[in-house]
């Protein structure tokens, strides 16, 4: 499972602290994310795993009164340095949210939205991107005959794969997923997990999950968060079988959380 | 037992109040329409008014009303939507925002006659334009901006936060997110607000008496040059609207059929405002369906 030796680091977090007003939500987090791997963030509710995820592409900027110190290096650049092009950061570090959030547009226009805004006008190229993205998200066969129907008519699981396709359409390097299956039924969840397994060969994925089985099934590495601190980060098999810290063991054996 | 009786009585009371409202509206509309409708004819709607003899029409006034409405909306909608975008998307809680909100509140509660007098000082005397459609349109804009700002702000706020996040997370800038995701979703609400504003503007008289004047020059409807003084499209000419005309005919009209003319004009006005309201509902529904369904 582990690929520590050959894979290089794509995201490198150093000493990250995050405050909501006066309350500190993340404490001195340092962590490396390896290229083309799946990193699962686990921990009980309120442990800061989602907040941490959202600070990897600066989505926390939208929340009022948030203050962040520390550094997040992506390709050697600190994305919190002044003058960083946020558009470029978010384009290359895409995000999938807990609840599927398609735009109230057709399936086609949902996927084409990002590429269009980034300047692609040619109809044939857009067609190509839409098909490629939908195929990559394992949704093409289900929707190819109804591309121009509303995306809101899709099931929740299909919507979530559509949203993943929409992210893939802008060609990210890293895909952040914030509990992407928590609003889905078991069958849709299985599809998304299978999809993540396919995507790992081309993309780096960081996924927040409250479901430990899911983390064990799909991730190469797992990081355990508790009360805003990173308690343990290791290869998934190792973390689940031989946790080094008492808190990790308590959590994965179901003693709390 | 008593609780049950009180409950029944109160239910009856509320039903009565609701019925009273409906009866009032139906009675009022019925009265206006019953008196005005018989007067309506193509000639009445298109011919010019008379100053002394019977047989006045409301052609120029109807045209003025529509043209003035167009001018008003030309200013009100962009500025109003802009204000709505600012308040919903950019304004941070604080002194500045509170001041802006208070200003909008005050502006919306100004009596229209006061707005008219202000318009007289600014748009008539200060600018040296005299009575003009433009002055009237600007006065109506002052009067209607608060409503437009508020309805746009509400419509923009009602767009789910997830939609913005989705767009921003695709590397789309804040401005493009607003124009490409937020505004299309908010459009039904904005259109509704605009049409309700239009209805208000169409029926307004007090703010216009001192700004757009109470007379219309002899118009040549074949003259489409907006700079020509006899062109109906010249925004810098005086132009009384339908609502002002009703007031004028009733208060100082010298024509023998003043009662009939004002009844006819009132019916036209009421029908127009009703149409605006129906149109607002209809368009909101159409837009909503269009937005949630596919674009081909």
């Amino acid at each position: 499972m582990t690929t520590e030796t050959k894979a290089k680091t794509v995201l490198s977090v150093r000493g990250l602290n995050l405050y909501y007003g006066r309350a500190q939500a993340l404490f001195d987090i340092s962590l490396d994310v390896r290229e083309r791997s799946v990193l699962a963030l686990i921990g009980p509710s309120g442990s800061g795993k989602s907040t941490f995820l959202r600070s990897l592409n600066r989505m926390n900027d939208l929340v009022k009164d948030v203050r962040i110190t520390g550094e997040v290096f992506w390709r050697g650049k600190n994305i919190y340095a002044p003058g960083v092009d946020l558009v470029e950061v978010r384009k290359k570090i895409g995000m999938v949210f807990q609840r599927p959030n398609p735009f109230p547009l057709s399936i086609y226009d949902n996927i084409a939205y990002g590429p269009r805004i980034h300047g692609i006008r040619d109809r044939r190229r857009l067609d190509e991107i839409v098909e490629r993205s939908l195929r990559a998200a394992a949704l093409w066969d289900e929707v190819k005959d109804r591309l121009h129907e509303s995306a809101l008519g899709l099931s929740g699981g299909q919507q979530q794969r559509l949203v993943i396709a929409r992210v893939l359409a802008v060609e990210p390097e890293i895909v952040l997923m914030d509990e992407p299956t928590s609003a889905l039924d078991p069958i849709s969840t299985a599809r998304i997990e299978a999809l993540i397994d396919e995507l790992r060969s081309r993309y780096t994925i960081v996924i927040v999950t409250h479901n430990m089985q899911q983390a064990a099934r799909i991730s190469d590495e797992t990081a355990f968060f508790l009360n805003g601190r990173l308690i343990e980060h290791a290869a998934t098999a190792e973390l689940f079988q031989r946790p080094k810290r008492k808190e990790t063991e308590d959590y994965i054996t179901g003693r709390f959380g | 037992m008593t609780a049950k009786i009180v409950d029944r009585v109160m239910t009856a009371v509320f039903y009565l109040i609701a019925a009273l409202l409906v009866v009032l509206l139906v009675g009022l509309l019925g009265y206006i329409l019953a008196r005005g409708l018989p007067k309506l004819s193509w000639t009445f709607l298109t011919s010019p008014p008379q100053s002394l003899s019977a047989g006045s029409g409301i052609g120029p006034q109807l045209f003025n009303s529509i043209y003035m409405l167009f001018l008003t909306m030309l200013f009100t909608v962009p500025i109003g939507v802009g204000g709505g975008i600012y308040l919903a998307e950019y304004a941070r809680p604080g002194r500045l925002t509170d001041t802006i909100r208070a200003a909008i509140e005050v502006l919306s509660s100004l009596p229209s006659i006061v707005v008219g007098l202000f318009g007289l000082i600014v748009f008539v005397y200060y600018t040296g334009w005299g009575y003009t459609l433009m002055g009237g349109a600007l006065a109506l804009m002052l009067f209607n901006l608060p409503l437009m700002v508020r309805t746009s702000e509400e419509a923009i706020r009602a767009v789910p936060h997830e939609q913005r996040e989705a767009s921003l997370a695709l590397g789309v800038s804040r401005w493009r997110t607003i124009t490409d995701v937020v505004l299309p979703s908010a459009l039904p609400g904005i259109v509704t607000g605009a049409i309700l504003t239009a209805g208000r503007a169409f029926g307004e008289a007090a703010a216009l008496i001192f700004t757009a004047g109470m007379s219309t020059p002899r118009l040549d409807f074949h003259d489409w040059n907006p700079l020509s003084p006899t062109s109906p499209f010249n925004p810098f000419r005086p132009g009384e609207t339908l609502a002002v005309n009703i007031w004028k005919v009733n208060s100082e009209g010298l024509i023998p059929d003043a009662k009939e003319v004002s009844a006819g004009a009132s019916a036209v006005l009421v029908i127009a405002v009703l149409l605006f309201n129906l149109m607002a509902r209809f368009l909101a529904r159409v837009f909503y369906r269009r937005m949630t369904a596919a674009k081909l």
Side-chain angles (χ1 to χ4, degrees):
Chain A
M1 265 283 194
T2 57
T3 46
E4 289 152 62
T5 41
K6 49 181 180 181
K8 59 178 198 211
T9 298
V10 60
L11 264 182
S12 181
V13 183
R14 289 290 168 267
L16 190 80
N17 290 287
L18 185 144
Y19 309 81
Y20 290 119
R22 294 253 174 79
Q24 188 164 2
L26 291 176
F27 297 83
D28 192 32
I29 310 245
S30 295
L31 177 142
D32 285 345
V33 183
R34 278 172 230 297
E35 194 170 36
R36 288 180 195 155
S37 70
V38 177
L39 169 66
L41 309 179
I42 61 167
S45 303
S47 59
K49 55 194 192 301
S50 283
T51 302
F52 175 73
L53 186 80
R54 293 170 62 94
S55 55
L56 297 182
N57 70 342
R58 294 191 56 174
M59 288 305 281
N60 282 326
D61 290 20
L62 305 174
V63 185
K64 288 199 173 88
D65 291 329
V66 159
R67 194 162 59 81
I68 294 168
T69 64
E71 291 147 330
V72 175
F73 292 100
W74 165 63
R75 291 200 203 154
K77 284 182 303 195
N78 177 13
I79 64 168
Y80 282 97
V84 162
D85 181 5
L86 261 190
V87 164
E88 183 64 16
V89 167
R90 294 198 184 127
K91 195 176 148 189
K92 289 296 179 190
I93 310 179
M95 188 160 210
V96 175
F97 298 87
Q98 200 166 346
R99 285 215 338 243
N101 54 357
F103 299 126
L105 301 170
S106 69
I107 293 167
Y108 185 98
D109 287 333
N110 259 280
I111 311 289
Y113 174 78
R116 271 188 188 135
I117 288 203
H118 296 307
I120 298 173
R121 292 272 151 209
D122 181 53
R123 180 80 195 192
R124 253 181 314 162
R125 268 193 73 197
L126 283 174
D127 287 351
E128 212 177 277
I129 292 172
V130 168
E131 179 171 347
R132 178 160 35 83
S133 309
L134 285 170
R135 278 190 194 281
L139 189 61
W140 174 254
D141 290 332
E142 287 160 67
V143 301
K144 64 177 182 229
D145 299 322
R146 48 199 274 224
L147 289 176
H148 295 287
E149 285 172 33
S150 172
L152 301 182
L154 298 173
S155 73
Q158 289 173 324
Q159 287 189 4
Q160 197 63 299
R161 277 179 284 150
L162 177 79
V163 168
I164 293 174
R166 186 173 66 188
V167 169
L168 299 182
V170 297
E171 291 170 11
E173 289 176 10
I174 304 170
V175 181
L176 310 176
M177 298 185 177
D178 189 359
E179 300 196 24
T181 61
S182 67
L184 304 182
D185 61 84
I187 294 171
S188 304
T189 299
R191 288 230 175 90
I192 301 269
E193 287 184 9
L195 172 60
I196 291 171
D197 199 44
E198 277 172 41
L199 296 178
R200 73 182 347 137
S201 61
R202 273 169 295 158
Y203 304 93
T204 306
I205 294 169
V206 183
I207 178 172
V208 165
T209 174
H210 61 268
N211 179 332
M212 279 179 283
Q213 285 76 32
Q214 183 170 66
R217 278 194 301 267
I218 62 175
S219 68
D220 302 301
E221 292 179 24
T222 298
F224 171 59
F225 281 73
L226 184 65
N227 299 328
R229 287 169 216 275
L230 173 61
I231 303 296
E232 190 167 347
H233 171 204
T236 298
E238 201 178 311
L239 186 124
F240 278 100
Q241 280 155 22
R242 291 180 300 278
K244 290 199 180 63
R245 297 277 299 262
K246 176 88 171 38
E247 297 95 318
T248 315
E249 192 182 341
D250 286 351
Y251 182 69
I252 62 177
T253 53
R255 230 162 284 170
F256 69 91
Chain B
M1 205 52 187
T2 42
K4 212 169 175 181
I5 291 171
V6 170
D7 189 49
R8 284 217 181 127
V9 170
M10 289 318 288
T11 309
V13 166
F14 289 127
Y15 269 101
L16 267 175
I17 292 174
L20 184 72
L21 288 174
V22 173
V23 168
L24 267 178
L25 178 71
V26 170
L28 203 64
L29 283 181
Y31 178 73
I32 293 171
L33 293 180
R35 282 193 29 173
L37 282 182
K39 176 76 191 160
L40 296 193
S41 66
W42 184 246
T43 335
F44 179 69
L45 290 178
T46 53
S47 57
Q50 307 292 330
S51 39
L52 294 169
S53 56
S56 281
I58 53 164
Q61 286 82 9
L62 192 57
F63 176 83
N64 287 343
S65 280
I66 294 167
Y67 190 44
M68 170 103 68
L69 183 64
F70 169 75
L71 290 175
T72 306
M73 298 315 275
L74 206 61
F75 304 125
T76 309
V77 171
I79 300 178
V81 173
I85 291 176
Y86 173 76
L87 285 176
E89 297 284 332
Y90 291 97
R92 291 186 172 272
R95 288 261 297 277
L96 178 68
T97 307
D98 290 347
T99 314
I100 293 171
R101 273 185 207 288
I104 292 172
E105 285 301 311
V106 171
L107 202 57
S108 73
S109 55
L110 282 184
S112 56
I113 189 80
V114 175
V115 174
L117 286 172
F118 173 80
L120 177 71
I121 295 167
V122 177
F123 307 129
V124 177
Y125 294 148
Y126 182 75
T127 58
W129 294 343
Y131 293 130
T132 59
L133 286 172
M134 183 59 84
L138 290 172
L140 284 182
M141 176 197 78
L142 287 182
F143 184 60
N144 282 316
L145 259 183
L147 182 66
M148 195 66 232
V149 170
R150 215 175 312 150
T151 47
S152 334
E153 184 192 350
E154 271 165 31
I156 290 167
R157 272 191 200 285
V159 177
H161 188 64
E162 287 88 0
Q163 300 279 319
R164 296 180 178 83
E165 279 195 327
S167 176
L168 292 166
L170 291 171
V172 174
S173 67
R174 192 142 173 222
W175 174 240
R176 290 301 299 266
T177 297
I178 291 173
T179 58
D180 288 58
V181 172
V182 177
L183 284 184
S185 291
L187 199 62
I190 294 174
V191 169
T192 311
I195 296 177
L196 292 177
T197 308
R200 243 167 63 129
F202 203 76
E204 177 56 33
L208 295 178
I209 293 171
F210 301 124
T211 49
M214 291 194 287
S215 61
T216 306
R218 196 167 292 280
L219 296 178
D220 176 5
F221 278 87
H222 299 291
D223 184 357
W224 284 40
N225 176 6
L227 300 174
S228 150
T230 58
S231 165
F233 292 101
N234 183 350
F236 291 98
R237 63 169 174 87
E240 67 179 324
T241 61
L242 209 51
V244 172
N245 184 46
I246 292 170
W247 178 79
K248 192 183 81 172
V249 167
N250 267 308
S251 61
E252 53 190 41
L254 296 172
I255 46 174
D257 55 351
K259 286 273 177 293
E260 286 84 55
V261 170
S262 77
S266 304
V268 172
L269 195 61
V270 165
I271 291 170
V273 173
L274 273 180
L275 280 180
F276 280 127
N277 280 284
L278 290 178
M279 203 160 75
R281 283 163 170 254
F282 173 74
L283 279 182
R285 226 174 329 149
V286 168
F287 272 119
Y288 182 76
R289 233 179 287 148
R290 174 84 47 92
M291 286 315 303
T292 50
K295 283 196 294 191
L296 280 172

